[in-house]
Amino acid sequence: MLVFSDLENQSGIWEETKDLFASDYLHINNLTEYNDEIYLDALDDIQKHVWNCGGGSITEYGLPPSRGGEKTSNVVRRERSYNKEKLKEEVAQKELLLNDKQKQVYDAVMYRVHFGHRYKNNGIFVNAAGGTGKSFVLNMLLDSVRSQGKIALAVASSGIAATVLKGGRTAHNIFKIPLMEYNEVRSCSIKKNSELAKLLELTSLIVWDLVVMANKNTLTALDITLRDVLENEKFMGGKVFVCAGDFRQILPVIRGGGKNEELEHCIKSSYMWNDLTKLELTENVRLKKDDTKNILFAQKLLQLGSQSEGPVEFDEDFGVRVKSRQELVDKVYDDIENNHLNASYFEKTSYSITYE
């Protein structure tokens, strides 16, 4: 509530709730009456959680100071806790594995990290279909920046995608994007001089994966907030901002909306789209060159998402044909009733199914 919301009476919230927050410490210390030490224990706990959420000293929110209120937040320390020597070794090994398109993306981003001050806009969009090694390149960029002792923030539009990035979190979590209707988002809950603002000031690279899922208003809110907090009128406050995704996949979800509304609110409809440098990954690195069947399957999927005119034709033996939704469910998730709590069940190899 302190970090993410603008409470009407922050200064009075402590007096109203202090006994509730301190009750655990009253019990732990086997006491029957509250005292100043018990309240300080509670304030220390609140301060720790506020720092972990990217906030500053609790005195900024109208609360009394904690014992460690003047200590440095662990927000910056967390982003600088990586083993630089180990990361350097990993980056050197991975550089040898990059194909031409991947190396083009890697070199372009790292050049901006070192010489971004020469550019008016340091935004880059990486268009990458599934299997082209997007996560590999993004993680390599994060490793490379962190190996130099610099800060790289990794975010994604969904929690599952965030787990693929090293040190990844959701964009809403790290940038304090308010959880409200897309048309109500105006700015992020980041206060000037807060610990999160200090972290952003020290950041050299921001990576946002699955950005095509993000509503353009949330990106606008982040852009406005960074310009304001960092007092820099360049795009995203002058930070190197790398976003990636595939427009064949899920676009922003609009309550009660259809295709037109989704397109209207995706990043392509944002003012920032024309100013982003566009790069692309095209080679499917998951498939072996002699794997003809799966190569054909991958090509057909790309056609479905790319072909603007005419039907996409499939051979008779392409995939498994079903005639109802229930049969589709049964073929994809056979015996799901007995396996819905079994994680390994959902990791099985999928196959092509055509619903007639």
Side-chain angles (χ1 to χ4, degrees):
M1 290 168 63
L2 293 176
V3 177
F4 301 136
S5 306
D6 290 324
L7 300 176
E8 293 183 0
N9 183 23
Q10 287 185 333
S11 59
I13 192 171
W14 171 248
E15 290 301 322
E16 294 178 15
T17 61
K18 63 181 182 181
D19 286 353
L20 293 172
F21 279 107
S23 60
D24 282 350
Y25 297 98
L26 191 73
H27 175 72
I28 291 171
N29 291 282
N30 294 318
L31 298 176
T32 56
E33 294 182 1
Y34 292 95
N35 58 46
D36 290 342
E37 291 299 312
I38 294 296
Y39 290 134
L40 282 172
D41 286 337
L43 289 168
D44 284 344
D45 194 30
I46 294 172
Q47 178 65 83
K48 179 183 68 176
H49 286 291
V50 167
W51 274 337
N52 287 337
C53 290
S57 170
I58 55 176
T59 57
E60 298 176 15
Y61 308 101
L63 272 67
S66 64
R67 294 188 186 93
E70 302 305 318
K71 293 181 180 179
T72 303
S73 161
N74 64 359
V75 175
V76 174
R77 191 181 306 116
R78 175 188 183 274
E79 298 298 336
R80 282 183 166 165
S81 63
Y82 296 93
N83 186 323
K84 292 187 289 185
E85 295 305 318
K86 182 179 179 181
L87 290 179
K88 286 179 182 177
E89 293 177 5
E90 292 179 359
V91 170
Q93 294 172 359
K94 291 177 180 177
E95 278 188 297
L96 302 175
L97 304 176
L98 295 174
N99 60 37
D100 291 342
K101 290 286 189 179
Q102 291 172 337
K103 192 174 190 313
Q104 181 184 3
V105 172
Y106 176 76
D107 289 343
V109 174
M110 292 309 299
Y111 188 86
R112 296 291 183 97
V113 170
H114 294 298
F115 305 106
H117 59 279
R118 300 177 181 177
Y119 293 83
K120 181 179 179 181
N121 187 317
N122 283 314
I124 294 175
F125 174 77
V126 181
N127 185 19
T132 55
K134 170 172 60 75
S135 298
F136 177 80
V137 175
L138 295 182
N139 276 316
M140 187 174 168
L141 288 168
L142 295 169
D143 286 346
S144 185
V145 171
R146 290 163 178 168
S147 72
Q148 300 171 26
K150 299 177 181 179
I151 292 176
L153 298 181
V155 307
S157 298
S158 74
I160 293 177
T163 62
V164 179
L165 299 176
K166 294 184 179 179
R169 287 181 282 172
T170 63
H172 279 77
N173 175 276
I174 213 168
F175 297 129
K176 314 309 170 195
I177 301 172
L179 296 175
M180 55 179 63
E181 290 291 340
Y182 62 88
N183 57 346
E184 298 177 349
V185 178
R186 296 290 182 269
S187 63
C188 305
S189 302
I190 304 174
K191 299 180 182 293
K192 284 187 176 181
N193 301 318
S194 66
E195 292 302 321
L196 180 54
K198 294 175 185 176
L199 172 67
L200 292 169
E201 186 177 351
L202 296 170
T203 296
S204 298
L205 171 67
I206 297 173
V207 169
W208 187 327
D209 195 11
L210 293 192
V211 75
V212 298
M213 289 180 61
N215 194 293
K216 68 178 183 180
N217 288 352
T218 62
L219 294 163
T220 299
L222 178 61
D223 182 28
I224 292 173
T225 301
L226 290 183
R227 293 183 193 224
D228 177 51
V229 170
L230 302 178
E231 298 181 352
N232 186 327
E233 283 305 310
K234 288 185 178 181
F235 174 66
M236 293 297 176
K239 298 301 175 181
V240 180
F241 180 78
V242 178
C243 52
D246 178 9
F247 287 100
R248 301 175 189 87
Q249 299 179 7
I250 299 174
L251 295 180
V253 177
I254 307 300
R255 190 190 300 272
K259 177 182 177 181
N260 291 336
E261 287 76 17
E262 291 176 354
L263 292 173
E264 181 185 348
H265 288 91
C266 77
I267 188 174
K268 271 194 176 182
S269 299
S270 170
Y271 65 85
M272 64 183 69
W273 179 248
N274 290 333
D275 293 328
L276 291 172
T277 299
K278 316 299 191 304
L279 299 174
E280 190 172 20
L281 299 178
T282 56
E283 181 181 342
N284 194 318
V285 296
R286 293 180 185 169
L287 301 177
K288 297 179 181 179
K289 293 183 179 180
D290 59 351
D291 192 355
T292 306
K293 183 177 181 180
N294 282 325
I295 289 176
L296 175 62
F297 179 69
Q299 290 173 344
K300 289 294 183 181
L301 284 183
L302 291 178
Q303 276 186 272
L304 283 173
S306 306
Q307 191 162 316
S308 58
E309 297 181 2
V312 177
E313 297 182 358
F314 295 89
D315 297 331
E316 285 296 323
D317 60 348
F318 187 88
V320 178
R321 296 180 181 273
V322 297
K323 295 186 178 297
S324 68
R325 291 186 179 182
Q326 186 56 50
E327 189 179 356
L328 173 63
V329 173
D330 293 339
K331 288 289 186 182
V332 177
Y333 298 114
D334 57 299
D335 199 28
I336 190 173
E337 294 85 357
N338 299 319
N339 289 281
H340 64 281
L341 297 178
N342 181 6
S344 61
Y345 169 78
F346 294 97
E347 296 171 0
K348 67 179 182 179
T349 303
S350 61
Y351 49 90
S352 170
I353 295 178
T354 304
Y355 175 34
E356 295 180 333

